[in-house]
Amino acid sequence: MSRLDAQLAFLGEADRLKSVLRATSLHDRSRRENSAEHSWHVMLHALVLAEHAARPVDVSRVMTMLLLHDLVEIDAGDAPIHGGHDPAEQEAKEQAAADRLFGLLPVDQRDAMRFIWEEFEAAETDDAIFAKSIDRVQPVLSNLATDGGTWPEYNVTPEQLETRVGVKVARGAPAVWSGLRSRIDAWFSGRASLLHY
Amino acid sequence: MSRLDAQLAFLGEADRLKSVLRATSLHDRSRRENSAEHSWHVMLHALVLAEHAARPVDVSRVMTMLLLHDLVEIDAGDAPIHGGHDPAEQEAKEQAAADRLFGLLPVDQRDAMRFIWEEFEAAETDDAIFAKSIDRVQPVLSNLATDGGTWPEYNVTPEQLETRVGVKVARGAPAVWSGLRSRIDAWFSGRASLLHY
Ligand SMILES: [Ca+2]
């Protein structure tokens, strides 16, 4: 098999990410979002919000991380943050998925892409911390745009949002989290006042 | 309005690209593809196929072009390559769309993103030539994966594919076009032999 054959086989398999559905909806609520279009949208967030990174980042590495970050969901599925899944089991599934999917590529590309995906997952470098933070910003904005989106469904409280999402967003992009935090607080207090009538 | 407010307004508006449908289908033929997931897929093609560029390219600039390249379709719609639209009218619509959409951003970001989108559209620099070429590779692969996809519907001949697609793909990525060309020829000759029975 030529390099091009292997590359085209990988790219064809990647098409399946368009059929992995996430918990969040489009802003117009017409349907649930898939992981491929989510990945595109998150990359756009990273480009536009890079100036708010806690520490200087290489935007092109951040974008490459986000381009690849959800590919493993083709085999492992999406594990919603408020869904209560087993993290060890999910991690094992994702490692097996990375073996299979990146393994379709020529060896040098397999290793380079696996390396940057592992860096993202480890969330230790400045680039990965910012990428992980932005990956959590996009669904918050989707929930805010759709009257709370999945929050009522999963009975999410502002305190849970702070622990599950806020801490990680603030670590990579503190100014973005304070902007989101005030929008989140406004949404929850609007809801609380409705519930009292 | 703060910078963050303007940036979040732009990112929210960008969500609508997920509802712009293209002529091509997913590889499993379950539905038509939208321009947001197409943009993600094209960026993945650019990353993986960069070694085949006709001249050396800056992959991170190419990815930024492809991240932004279809945003104008939110207002202007997608103009399918085999669909026969008026290019001048489409171009005027896209310029107006770029004014409005990039105009949601803070001025410095508006200008930077407009600049790189214009560079892509002009297809003169090495980065833009490669980006344009890869943007045409992804739908060919989709058509090949779906038994010709939109080709029979638009009565496309191999000669039209060569003129409308091949010349531009070969300009930016000649080795990719020869790989596709042999797959295309095989598909058309398989079809011709079927039609003779
Ligand atoms: Ca395109």
Side-chain angles (χ1 to χ4, degrees):
Chain A
M1 206 200 272
S2 73
R3 280 182 72 84
L4 184 62
D5 289 336
Q7 289 161 338
L8 297 183
F10 169 79
L11 292 167
E13 190 70 12
D15 198 74
R16 295 172 57 202
L17 194 61
K18 300 168 188 170
S19 299
V20 175
L21 292 184
R22 296 168 47 81
T24 43
S25 293
L26 300 197
H27 289 204
D28 68 4
R29 306 190 210 191
S30 56
R31 60 171 173 82
R32 282 166 67 198
E33 175 173 64
N34 71 62
S35 291
E37 63 198 1
H38 156 77
S39 297
W40 166 79
H41 206 189
V42 170
M43 293 171 80
L44 192 64
H45 282 66
L47 181 69
V48 167
L49 300 175
E51 70 192 51
H52 304 293
R55 299 166 57 90
V57 291
D58 177 339
V59 182
S60 81
R61 294 191 78 248
V62 170
M63 291 218 296
T64 305
M65 282 178 194
L66 292 170
L67 177 64
L68 303 174
H69 81 293
D70 275 343
L71 273 175
V72 292
E73 294 181 358
I74 289 172
D75 290 351
D78 176 49
I81 188 171
H82 305 298
H85 60 285
D86 175 353
E89 194 189 324
Q90 185 65 19
E91 150 118 38
K93 276 198 224 163
E94 292 185 354
Q95 288 289 337
D99 287 346
R100 185 182 79 79
L101 290 160
F102 296 127
L104 296 169
L105 286 164
V107 182
D108 57 321
Q109 291 190 313
R110 175 197 73 190
D111 292 347
M113 297 202 191
R114 180 66 174 253
F115 182 87
I116 198 159
W117 176 73
E118 298 278 5
E119 178 180 339
F120 172 80
E121 285 293 305
E124 285 165 2
T125 63
D126 292 340
D127 291 344
I129 290 167
F130 180 66
K132 280 262 177 192
S133 141
I134 292 301
D135 187 34
R136 288 170 193 268
V137 165
Q138 187 264 353
V140 170
L141 289 167
S142 157
N143 283 331
L144 284 169
T146 55
D147 192 24
T150 57
W151 297 334
E153 188 183 329
Y154 289 105
N155 288 309
V156 177
T157 65
E159 294 70 34
Q160 286 171 332
L161 273 180
E162 188 63 43
T163 331
R164 295 179 190 167
V165 184
V167 174
K168 282 169 187 166
V169 174
R171 189 169 169 225
V176 175
W177 183 244
S178 41
L180 294 187
R181 181 79 239 184
S182 57
R183 287 165 166 82
I184 291 167
D185 290 343
W187 184 81
F188 276 100
S189 42
R191 190 149 186 268
S193 64
L194 277 178
L195 292 174
H196 286 121
Y197 280 99
Chain B
M1 208 201 271
S2 72
R3 280 182 72 84
L4 183 62
D5 289 337
Q7 290 162 337
L8 297 184
F10 169 79
L11 292 168
E13 191 69 13
D15 199 74
R16 294 171 58 202
L17 193 61
K18 299 168 190 171
S19 299
V20 175
L21 292 185
R22 296 169 46 83
T24 41
S25 293
L26 300 197
H27 290 204
D28 68 4
R29 306 191 209 189
S30 54
R31 60 171 173 83
R32 282 167 65 198
E33 174 173 64
N34 70 63
S35 291
E37 62 198 2
H38 157 77
S39 297
W40 167 79
H41 206 189
V42 170
M43 293 172 79
L44 192 64
H45 282 67
L47 181 69
V48 167
L49 300 176
E51 68 192 52
H52 305 291
R55 298 166 56 90
V57 292
D58 177 337
V59 182
S60 82
R61 293 192 77 248
V62 170
M63 293 219 293
T64 305
M65 282 179 193
L66 292 170
L67 178 64
L68 302 174
H69 82 291
D70 274 343
L71 273 175
V72 293
E73 294 181 359
I74 289 172
D75 290 351
D78 176 49
I81 188 171
H82 305 298
H85 61 286
D86 175 352
E89 194 188 324
Q90 184 66 19
E91 150 117 38
K93 277 198 224 163
E94 292 186 353
Q95 288 289 336
D99 288 346
R100 186 184 79 79
L101 290 160
F102 296 126
L104 296 170
L105 286 165
V107 182
D108 57 320
Q109 291 190 313
R110 176 197 72 192
D111 292 347
M113 296 201 190
R114 181 65 173 255
F115 182 88
I116 197 158
W117 176 73
E118 298 277 4
E119 178 180 338
F120 172 80
E121 285 293 305
E124 286 165 1
T125 63
D126 292 339
D127 291 344
I129 289 167
F130 180 66
K132 281 262 179 193
S133 141
I134 291 302
D135 188 33
R136 289 171 193 268
V137 165
Q138 187 264 351
V140 170
L141 289 168
S142 157
N143 283 331
L144 283 169
T146 55
D147 192 26
T150 58
W151 296 335
E153 188 183 331
Y154 289 105
N155 288 309
V156 177
T157 65
E159 294 70 33
Q160 286 171 332
L161 272 180
E162 188 62 43
T163 330
R164 295 179 192 168
V165 183
V167 174
K168 283 171 185 165
V169 173
R171 189 169 168 226
V176 175
W177 183 245
S178 40
L180 294 186
R181 181 78 240 182
S182 57
R183 287 164 167 82
I184 291 167
D185 290 343
W187 184 81
F188 277 100
S189 42
R191 193 152 184 265
S193 64
L194 277 177
L195 292 173
H196 286 125
Y197 280 99

